[in-house]
Amino acid sequence: MRRAYIAKLLMIGLVLAFLIAGTGYGYFYYQEKPEPSLQLSSFPAVQKQTRLLVIAPHCDDETLGCAGLIQAVLQAGGAVQVVVVTNGDGFTFAVERQFHRLFLKADDYVESGYVRQKETVHALAYLGLQPEQITFFGYPDRGLNALWLDYWDSNRPYHSRYTDTEYTPYDNSYQQKVAYAGENVLSGLEQLMRSFKPTLIMAPHPADEHADHAAVWAFAATAFMHLQGSGELSSAARLDTYLVHRGDFPIPHGYRPGAALLPPRPLYENRETEWQVQALSTQAMTVKEQAVKAYTSQLQVPVMSSLLLSFIRSNELFGRSSIPEINSEPVLDATSLNTWLNKPSFLIASRGVNWLGAIEGRAKIAAVGGLVQGNRLWLRFHIPDYSERQHTYQVSLITFGRERQGVWRQRKAFSFSTAESDLAEGDILRFPNDVVVRLTYTDRQPLPDFFLLQVITRDILGLMIDHTVWQPVRVSL
């Protein structure tokens, strides 16, 4: 009798869990689902002078996001270069299927990386690219965010639990035996940009939920701002984006070649990105499908198969975003909220949506503004209903400055709430819907030429309710 009672309780618990999961899935599906009638502008026609650099976090991202664009550039007489930052050698499900065993060795993961490289060469051959137009960096799959944040120095490299090494083990990497370190990723991207001189760079969208993709965006934006600021990259060059991982994007999933590829609702409603579409001809779609299907190792994994085939649509989708700039304004009173109300601010989009974020829809970062006065950087965080919520805001500020040998990098982190902050008392001003922060720099830690900013919002229990993208910002002194 007791066993039957326990069994009933377990069954009720399972039913409730499925109901909650199903409700959550449906809620977020329709939160992200775009309007079918959404009208977007067309991506500018490529010219003969177009030099396209596609930056892919993993083998296949370049094809999913840009196969049609690559064809268009080549047909116009332009030039294309593709760089693949990792070989996708940390996808355990695919490696298990490839070697038909559960207990994998580091050599298995490396061998899977070589397999995915061959698939990339095969896929891009359909699009018209030669192997010499493809560069493999060989950095650690599922490790790029760690390189961006914590493992910047080559003297303290990251150790991959997949390849079981601290340097690229591939004999065809762009740099041989290079350490798994953020400074090397940035250096490699800058070397390629200097030599290839792209007029158009395609990188992952900052709101891509895959950590590797978000990190590649940050690396690409850093290289772009550095080289444009130093005059080594044309001021007319553009950094645009493509999206791969975001909830159930593309909606609806599955092989639907007649359907349009449209951005998730939150990513066009916040107006931060100007979304544009490039229509694909029947021939371009056919070639893209051939290229996608060259990734046989991924198509053997059901969840990946559905994702890859979802990108065979009637168009490709690109995001055009401008990098905001803050200026030196010594005469303004940065401690007065009226000063900030008259200044433009830039939005910081969320990396994704979650249950807590949906429930706690208020008191999240809505916009940020900034100005420079002497050796001080002021930041204003606009947070509607800030004073009514016991949230904590964790700010990461990764700053860069140009120097003869490249760039220096510094990481600042601080947090604040309605009651506490690890900033000095005079460095933070609180208002009902705004927080103004003052950061002071010195000769040893000078004002940056540009920086990337991210904010994580946590509730009273320390649970994350919002996680913004890495927002690049230029500083004009």
Side-chain angles (χ1 to χ4, degrees), residues 33-50:
K33 185 179 180 182
E35 293 290 340
S37 59
L38 179 65
Q39 298 295 314
L40 300 174
S41 59
S42 296
F43 190 77
V46 297
Q47 307 295 326
K48 183 178 181 179
Q49 297 78 19
T50 301

Side-chain angles (χ1 to χ4, degrees), residues 3 13 83 86 116 155 224 259 279 284 334 375 379 391:
R3 289 182 178 177
V83 56
T86 84
R116 294 194 66 176
N155 295 319
F224 180 76
N375 64 341
L379 295 173
H391 293 165

